[in-house]
Amino acid sequence: EAGVAQSPRYKIIEKRQSVAFWCNPISGHATLYWYQQILGQGPKLLIQFQNNGVVDDSQLPKDRFSAERLKGVDSTLKIQPAKLEDSAVYLCASSYGLAGGNEQFFGPGTRLTVL
Amino acid sequence: AQSVAQPEDQVNVAEGNPLTVKCTYSVSGNPYLFWYVQYPNRGLQFLLKYITGDNLVKGSYGFEAEFNKSQTSFHLKKPSALVSDSALYFCAVRERDYKLSFGAGTTVTVRA
């Protein structure tokens, strides 16, 4: 079974530039998550989709971050414009559904460096 | 307040010795608890989970965890650590709104 795919793996940009990350979840997984992991911290949920609808985006900085999941499969996360404090690893995860016992499967992440 | 705490930033053990990584939680009701491991430059890998039932949960790579409701703990254990177990370990708890809240992580180093 293929895992969660993410691209690119690494990205370096200047502050105020834009950047986009892509995620392809495990086939059949209805729920998709984007997390931000700052060095030395645990992952923090940014947004959660159920199929192509947003379940929770309360911790997404909506003035600069946006995400979409067209057709309920792939997802993109965009930052525009980027700030220095956005430097982090962005993790995508998917699970079979929202039920409490479903474990999340994580992709390898995209390491973003903002200069 | 943080829903899950990992009181140790680092744990160092010798290969072959028992390994314990501590986790405490503070959600109400019956918690759903998870352990994940992260190797360098890789995403998090699921190790095990507690939903209900037996307090001792067995997971991948010889790891197990014990749920203790009275102490609100879910410590990860391995009877005999391997050098290859050196990694970053995260405890997580499922919140009421389905969010997964992670601890800050514990770096485990197993020396040969």
Side-chain angles (χ1 to χ4, degrees):
Chain A
E1 178 182 81
V4 177
Q6 289 187 248
S7 67
R9 292 294 311 276
Y10 305 91
K11 190 73 176 179
I12 300 174
I13 61 173
E14 301 276 338
K15 61 182 178 183
R16 290 188 290 274
Q17 285 187 323
S18 301
V19 64
F21 312 129
W22 173 83
C23 172
N24 180 244
I26 291 173
S27 177
H29 280 193
T31 312
L32 185 146
Y33 315 79
W34 282 103
Y35 289 87
Q36 181 191 58
Q37 185 179 16
I38 293 173
L39 188 64
Q41 300 180 19
K44 182 187 81 172
L45 180 69
L46 292 175
I47 189 167
Q48 180 175 322
F49 292 93
Q50 177 72 2
N51 296 311
N52 61 352
V54 175
V55 174
D56 188 312
D57 63 357
S58 58
Q59 299 189 87
L60 187 73
K62 298 181 187 64
D63 58 334
R64 298 183 300 107
F65 285 64
S66 64
E68 60 182 9
R69 191 183 184 197
L70 300 176
K71 301 180 181 179
V73 182
D74 293 6
S75 177
T76 56
L77 176 69
K78 297 179 182 178
I79 307 175
Q80 181 180 10
K83 293 185 176 181
L84 296 177
E85 58 261 36
D86 298 332
S87 294
V89 176
Y90 290 85
L91 296 166
C92 179
S94 69
S95 66
Y96 185 72
L98 276 176
N102 288 319
E103 60 264 32
Q104 297 179 19
F105 295 85
F106 286 79
T110 297
R111 182 177 298 277
L112 174 67
T113 302
V114 182
L115 302 176
Chain B
Q2 214 174 7
S3 301
V4 60
Q6 294 180 241
E8 300 163 317
D9 291 336
Q10 291 196 4
V11 170
N12 299 305
V13 298
E15 189 172 35
N17 281 1
L19 169 63
T20 298
V21 187
K22 297 179 180 178
C23 172
T24 58
Y25 65 91
S26 60
V27 296
S28 58
N30 296 318
Y32 290 174
L33 296 157
F34 302 79
W35 275 103
Y36 286 83
V37 60
Q38 186 174 35
Y39 298 100
N41 299 316
R42 297 180 66 177
L44 279 69
Q45 294 180 33
F46 170 77
L47 280 178
L48 50 79
K49 65 182 177 183
Y50 172 81
I51 304 301
T52 186
D54 195 349
N55 289 343
L56 185 63
V57 179
K58 294 188 182 296
S60 307
Y61 313 121
F63 283 94
E64 57 188 28
E66 186 170 9
F67 172 66
N68 188 317
K69 190 168 185 176
S70 63
Q71 297 185 6
T72 62
S73 68
F74 189 56
H75 300 333
L76 181 70
K77 300 179 181 181
K78 186 169 184 178
S80 179
L82 301 172
V83 172
S84 57
D85 293 328
S86 297
L88 183 56
Y89 291 79
F90 289 99
C91 181
V93 64
R94 195 68 174 252
E95 306 273 9
R96 285 176 175 269
D97 55 2
Y98 301 109
K99 288 180 192 174
L100 203 58
S101 291
F102 287 85
T106 299
T107 300
V108 170
T109 302
V110 182
R111 59 185 185 277

